[in-house]
């Protein structure tokens, strides 16, 4: 459903990102008849009858409640070093990887210490899937892996009363100590907080201090504790003292009842949905016998409660605005009848898909739901409304069918469905360095390269886990065909081949013996200081050599380093919070940073000196009556001083952070102090979700007053063309001048919608629903409500068109998608009509009308630019036929670097019509290509090499001006002149 689509897909993405290389942490299940005798099992064992019975339990209504009441399980094993010797005193932790249990049961690890012989035991575990990790002083933290060469499984599936034995972990030496402290926002120590980074879990002591043992390098650390929202901090180890500030938790409380009679509903999953964009802080709970729930651990903000059961679904009527440490008034979520779909994902031979997910998409009504696949292949998708659902299956290492029969839900739940996946083929090999030595911890992926005429054919791709100690990898679930095989490495960063390994996978067999050789490298060591020799807190250094990029954090004493860099010339630029630090005496328009040459086998040294940032801004935050605001957060962004910067850019970039670093909170008198200031800043004060104040052009030494003006309510009604209201719809209100946005979804509200505590401003209101979409504008005045806004949805349409090249010849195999901010996405369909045929034709169904973007990319060639075209689609007919869309051939090959033209353009104004985008020169670098050609500040570029780039053709500008070094392009100017600019190497 519309309200569930974004959240369900986001949860999957978040699980992948947090997993750090574990694809899809999925839940294990219970066995209600399991013996109390210990049962030996490994994470990769095939499911037996007992496990299948356990899975049936987990897929029954009330699964979470039954799992919580089921007999607990245990895990035992031994911790050894890489020489096979036991490690005593290692901390071993089991981390729940379940989507059924509520947040309160999944966020806290259960840990124990290994004994003198290295043996450990962890008891009192829920009978679900777990990841097991271990750490010990002087060792690098590690995780349990069932090692099968390049293919490794990393979780343990538990059943009630089960003892999973021989869950052994080997730790390598070379660990370094990561130290830090956990505090609350007042600076007081927080004892007992759980702190974690990759494979290492620890707990803060009486002074808030914690210690973890990890591999050297970049590390991101997370912390949470009872009564607080989570916090995080990043840095390099050794060299950074981590500071994690926990925010007193906000909480949503309420109950879930049946809409028809108000009776409480037990066993329903309730989740928190943020109204301020994507949130990594979603919480879940299970309703008790009285239908009650509590969602704690939330940062301040706007939230809505969503309730999903096997055969019910509902959304709260309105978002709740939560302040710092605030608990909501009890709210009521009314649920309506819904349905579930249950089945199995199996191979033709009956072998189970052991993890992955099943997604059901109803494009007609903009709904999307998914469910995790269990170890025996069982899967359930809950809370479905009637509709026809397109099926997508993801089973790592297997090949899904090119198309599955659609699932039609009418008036009952469906059971016993079966979706088959194929085994496919595998690519196997090793990653080695320039000396032929194996390289661990490298990710490898394979991307299908379709041939001409195969634009609508099925394409497969695969990712490996990190290579093992022998450098081995395996890529499974691939169809026969041509592939680009690429290596990548993020943690630790390491140079990889720029060109992919070209591989042909033959029909009917696997391909072994691939070898990816990493390039020979050099090393950089440096120091970042200001003109007085002081280190820069919380800084990083960005290194770029063409498409090679490496970021490295700076230690607390100013040191930075980067190993395994490809030889060549790099530009090193210092940044804080993503903003470049200026060299002394320079401006934003000057080229920042220093060039450094990296030589194979050598260590280069560099000192980066940047301007002093020793100023201080002081101020007070007041409410509309002049009283102090003691719970306001104050954030600052340095204002860009480059030519052509759009007004308000700093305010738009200064939106809700995650409270990492040193949060600035006003005291009891509303006072605040911002240290380490240079240049002009824009300040944003806000009680998250409850009003804000923006003050621009504030300099070091200023003492300012920020007044949080009264907010108002923005509300109205959404209607369908011809009468009635949509059953469900999503809505976004965006103030493009300040960057403030609020988003919400509504279900069976009769078309009514309302957003509380909206600051003054002019808002674009964008609505998307299955039947249609629309956009309007509304103005909010401080302290006043804006009500009665009626938005009539324009019916969605089928869009047809033609994709051609620069000469007008049709292009086959071009993927076409249509999107509008806050107005939905259209493009993916199981018959691939959105991919152009041999005549260049495409068709996209259920597309929004009005101002949208059409994105075009090739499935069969790297020769063409990715293209994003602004288009106005009329709503006066069910089928819209577009004018031909021109896609340019790349002037710079994929993976190559474009030359520099020596000028920058004026930013478009916020909210400007993208079809009216113009290209006005804002700055010309002295001595650069544009200066030599006679281009002038203020010139408007109207043609490139004779091609008109005005109005609806402005999307061509980017591709036409991305050219190789020494290429000359002709820029036609509005003043009638044509200048010839020859691209040079980037400075």
């Amino acid at each position: 459903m519309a309200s569930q689509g974004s959240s369900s897909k986001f949860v999957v993405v978040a699980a992948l990102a947090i997993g750090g290389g574990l694809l899809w942490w999925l839940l294990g299940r219970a066995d209600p008849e399991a013996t109390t005798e210990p049962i030996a099992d490994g994470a990769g064992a095939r499911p037996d009858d007992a496990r299948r019975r356990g899975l049936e339990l987990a897929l029954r209504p009330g699964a979470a409640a039954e799992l919580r009441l089921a007999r607990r399980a245990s895990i035992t094993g031994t911790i050894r070093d890489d020489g096979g010797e036991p490690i005593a005193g290692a901390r071993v932790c089991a981390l729940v990887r379940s989507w059924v249990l509520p947040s309160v049961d999944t966020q806290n690890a259960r840990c124990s210490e290994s004994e003198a012989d290295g043996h450990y035991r962890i008891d009192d575990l829920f009978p679900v899937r777990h990841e097991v990790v271990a750490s010990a002083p002087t060792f690098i933290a590690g995780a349990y892996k069932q090692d099968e060469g390049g293919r490794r499984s990393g979780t343990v599936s538990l059943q009630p009363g089960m003892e999973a034995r021989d869950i052994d972990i080997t730790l390598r030496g070379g660990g370094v100590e990561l130290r830090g402290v956990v505090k609350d926002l007042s600076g007081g120590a927080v004892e007992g907080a759980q702190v974690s980074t990759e494979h290492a879990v620890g707990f803060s002591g009486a002074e808030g201090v914690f210690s973890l043992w990890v591999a050297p390098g970049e590390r991101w650390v997370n912390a949470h504790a009872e009564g607080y929202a989570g916090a995080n901090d990043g840095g390099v180890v050794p060299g950074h003292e981590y500071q994690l500030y926990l925010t007193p938790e906000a909480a949503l409380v309420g109950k879930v009842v049946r809409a028809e009679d108000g009776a409480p509903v037990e066993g329903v999953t309730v989740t928190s949905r943020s109204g301020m964009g994507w949130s990594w802080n979603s919480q879940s709970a299970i309703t008790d016998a009285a239908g009650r729930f509590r969602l704690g651990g939330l940062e301040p903000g706007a939230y809505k409660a969503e309730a999903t059961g096997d055969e019910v679904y509902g959304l709260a009527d309105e978002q709740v605005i939560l302040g710092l440490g605030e608990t909501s008034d009890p709210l009521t979520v009314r649920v309506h009848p819904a349905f579930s779909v249950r089945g199995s994902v199996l191979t033709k031979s009956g072998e189970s898909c052991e993890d992955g997910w099943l997604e059901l998409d109803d494009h007609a009504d903009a709904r999307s739901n998914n469910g995790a696949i269990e170890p025996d292949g069982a899967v359930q998708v809950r809370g479905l409304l009637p509709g026809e659902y397109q099926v997508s299956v993801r089973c790592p290492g297997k090949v899904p069918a090119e198309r599955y029969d659609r699932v039609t839900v009418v008036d009952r739940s469906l059971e016993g469905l079966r979706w088959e996946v194929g085994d496919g083929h595998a690519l196997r090999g090793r990653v080695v360095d320039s000396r032929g030595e194996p390289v661990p911890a490298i990710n490898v992926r394979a991307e299908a390269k379709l041939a001409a005429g195969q634009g609508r054919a099925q394409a497969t791709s695969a990712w490996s886990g990190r290579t093992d100690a022998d450098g081995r990898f395996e890529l499974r679930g691939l169809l026969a065909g041509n592939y680009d095989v690429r290596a990548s490495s993020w943690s630790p960063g390491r140079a990889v081949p720029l060109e992919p390994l070209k591989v042909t996978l033959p029909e009917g067999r696997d391909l072994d013996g691939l070898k990816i050789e990493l390039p020979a490298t050099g090393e950089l060591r440096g120091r970042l200081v200001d003109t007085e020799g002081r280190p820069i807190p919380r800084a990083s250094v960005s290194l770029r050599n063409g498409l090679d990029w490496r970021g490295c954090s700076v230690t607390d004493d100013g040191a930075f380093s980067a190993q395994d860099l490809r030889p060549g010339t790099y530009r090193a630029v210092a940044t804080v919070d993503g903003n470049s630090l200026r060299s002394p005496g320079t401006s934003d328009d000057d080229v920042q940073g220093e060039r450094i040459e990296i030589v194979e086998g050598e260590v280069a040294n560099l000192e980066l000196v940047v301007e002093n940032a020793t100023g201080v801004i002081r101020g007070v935050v007041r409410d509309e009556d002049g009283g102090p605001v003691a719970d306001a957060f104050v954030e600052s962004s340095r204002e860009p001083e480059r030519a052509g910067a759009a007004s308000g850019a700093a305010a738009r970039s200064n939106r809700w952070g995650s409270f990492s670093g040193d949060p600035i909170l006003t005291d009891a008198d509303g006072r605040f102090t911002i240290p380490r200031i240079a240049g002009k800043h824009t300040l944003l004060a806000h009680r998250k979700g409850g009003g804000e104040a923006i003050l621009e052009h504030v300099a070091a030494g200023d003492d300012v007053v920020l007044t949080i003006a009264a907010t108002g309510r923005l509300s109205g009604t959404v209607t369908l063309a011809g009468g009635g209201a949509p059953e469900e719809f999503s809505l976004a209100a965006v103030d493009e001048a300040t960057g403030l946005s609020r988003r919400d979804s509504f279900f069976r509200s009769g078309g009514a919608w309302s957003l509380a505590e909206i600051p003054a401003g002019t808002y674009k209101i964008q609505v998307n629903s299955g039947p249609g979409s629309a956009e309007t504008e509304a103005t909010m005045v401080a302290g006043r409500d804006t009500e009665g806004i009626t938005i009539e949805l324009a019916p969605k349409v089928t869009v047809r068109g033609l994709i051609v090249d620069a000469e007008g010849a049709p292009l086959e195999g071009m993927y076409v998608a249509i999107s509008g901010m806050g107005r939905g996405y259209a493009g993916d369909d199981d018959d691939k009509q959105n991919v152009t045929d041999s005549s260049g034709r495409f068709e996209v169904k259920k597309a929004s009308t009005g101002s949208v973007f059409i994105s075009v990319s090739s499935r069969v060639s790297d020769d063409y630019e990715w293209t994003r075209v602004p288009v106005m689609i009329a709503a006066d007919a069910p089928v819209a036929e577009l004018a031909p869309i021109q896609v340019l051939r790349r002037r710079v090959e994929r993976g190559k670097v474009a030359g520099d033209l020596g000028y920058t353009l004026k930013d478009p104004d916020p909210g400007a019509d993208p079809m009216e985008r113009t290209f006005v020169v804002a700055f010309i670098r002295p001595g650069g290509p544009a200066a030599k050609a006679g281009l002038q500040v203020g010139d408007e570029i109207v043609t490139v090499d004779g091609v008109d780039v005005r109005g609806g053709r402005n999307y061509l500008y980017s591709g036409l001006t991305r050219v190789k070094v020494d290429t000359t392009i002709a820029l036609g100017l509005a003043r009638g002149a044509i200048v010839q600019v020859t691209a040079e190497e980037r400075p």
Side-chain angles (χ1 to χ4, degrees), residues 5 180 214 230 275 303 374 450 469 477 480 551 570 578 609 703 882 902 906 912 952 972:
V214 298
Y303 295 95
E374 312 303 333
L450 296 176
Y570 289 78
V609 180
D703 196 321
L882 301 182
K906 181 181 181 295

Side-chain angles (χ1 to χ4, degrees), residues 536-698:
I536 310 299
R538 312 193 66 81
S540 61
V541 173
S542 172
L543 305 169
R544 186 174 294 279
N545 172 19
L547 295 181
D548 255 358
W549 179 87
R550 181 78 62 83
C552 44
S553 295
V554 178
T555 64
D556 295 347
D557 64 359
F560 63 90
S561 64
Q563 299 177 336
D564 296 312
L565 288 170
R566 187 189 317 279
T569 302
Y570 289 78
R571 178 164 291 277
V573 179
T575 63
V576 171
D577 297 330
N579 298 313
S580 295
L581 300 178
R582 298 171 178 83
S583 299
T586 65
S587 72
D588 283 348
D589 289 319
D590 293 311
V591 178
Q592 296 296 332
E594 299 288 345
R595 291 168 69 92
I596 184 72
E597 189 73 21
I598 301 298
V599 178
E600 177 183 335
E602 296 185 9
V603 177
N605 291 282
L606 174 67
E607 182 174 76
L608 273 177
V609 180
V610 297
E611 65 182 348
N612 293 349
T614 57
V616 174
I617 294 173
R618 294 181 173 85
V620 62
V621 179
R622 302 189 182 281
D623 60 24
E624 62 271 18
D625 298 321
V629 178
D631 60 349
F633 290 91
V634 183
E635 302 177 30
S636 68
S637 285
R638 184 165 181 171
E639 296 173 355
E641 297 167 10
R642 60 181 172 81
S647 62
R652 290 188 294 277
S653 70
N654 200 5
R655 283 296 161 190
W656 323 118
S658 61
F659 301 128
S660 62
D662 302 337
I664 298 172
L665 186 69
T666 55
D667 64 17
D669 297 321
R671 300 289 305 179
F672 65 89
T673 300
I674 304 175
R676 300 188 293 272
I677 292 296
K680 295 292 185 74
H681 282 246
T682 294
L683 305 187
L684 169 64
H686 55 88
R687 293 170 294 198
K688 282 202 168 183
E692 65 179 38
I694 297 174
L695 185 62
E696 295 183 301
H697 317 316
V698 183

Side-chain angles (χ1 to χ4, degrees), residues 712-874:
R713 179 177 296 275
L714 189 62
S715 61
T717 306
V718 174
T719 64
L720 297 170
E727 183 176 50
E728 52 193 324
F729 60 93
S730 59
L731 181 145
V734 181
D735 183 346
E736 293 181 297
T738 66
L740 175 67
S741 68
R742 281 276 295 278
R743 301 169 189 278
D744 201 356
S745 296
F746 299 86
F747 177 64
R748 294 188 179 172
S749 68
W753 60 271
S754 180
L755 300 175
E757 297 194 32
I758 300 294
T762 300
Y763 293 85
K764 280 187 178 179
I765 304 173
Q766 300 153 326
V767 181
N768 183 55
S769 182
S773 62
E775 180 178 299
T776 190
E777 191 172 278
T779 298
M780 292 290 294
V781 176
R784 293 178 55 186
D785 295 341
T786 299
E787 302 173 310
I789 302 171
T790 300
I791 304 171
E792 182 178 293
L793 300 183
K796 292 187 176 179
V797 300
T798 295
V799 176
R800 295 173 182 159
L802 175 67
I803 306 297
V804 299
D805 64 14
E807 287 72 41
L811 292 175
E812 183 263 351
M814 307 301 288
Y815 174 91
V816 181
I818 301 176
S819 61
M821 184 65 178
R823 301 177 62 195
Y825 165 91
D828 287 335
D829 58 57
D830 47 16
D831 58 7
K832 295 187 175 68
Q833 293 298 307
N834 63 308
V835 177
T836 58
D837 60 18
S838 59
S839 65
R841 300 285 303 175
F842 70 86
E843 178 179 283
V844 176
K845 300 173 183 176
K846 302 299 292 183
S848 295
T849 58
S851 179
V852 298
F853 286 98
I854 297 184
S855 299
V856 184
S857 58
S858 178
R859 300 185 83 227
V860 299
S861 174
D862 289 334
D863 294 340
Y864 292 92
E865 293 277 359
W866 177 81
T867 303
R868 188 168 185 256
V869 187
V871 171
M872 181 65 69
I873 298 179

Side-chain angles (χ1 to χ4, degrees), residues 4 7 26 43 55 67 73 148 271 317 333 359 361 364 416 450 478 535 546 640 701 714 758 768 789 801 855 874:
Q4 292 174 282
S7 62
L26 304 174
L55 292 166
L67 286 172
E148 299 178 15
T271 56
D317 292 337
V333 182
E359 182 168 316
D361 290 297
L450 296 176
L478 299 172
L714 189 62
I758 300 294
N768 183 55
I789 302 171
S855 299

Side-chain angles (χ1 to χ4, degrees), residues 499 547 862-865 889-898 962-964:
E499 296 295 330
L547 295 181
D862 289 334
D863 294 340
Y864 292 92
E865 293 277 359
R889 188 175 292 271
R890 294 180 187 270
R891 294 187 163 192
V892 179
E893 295 92 342
R894 181 182 176 184
K896 304 296 183 182
V897 181
R962 288 190 71 253
V963 297
K964 298 177 182 178

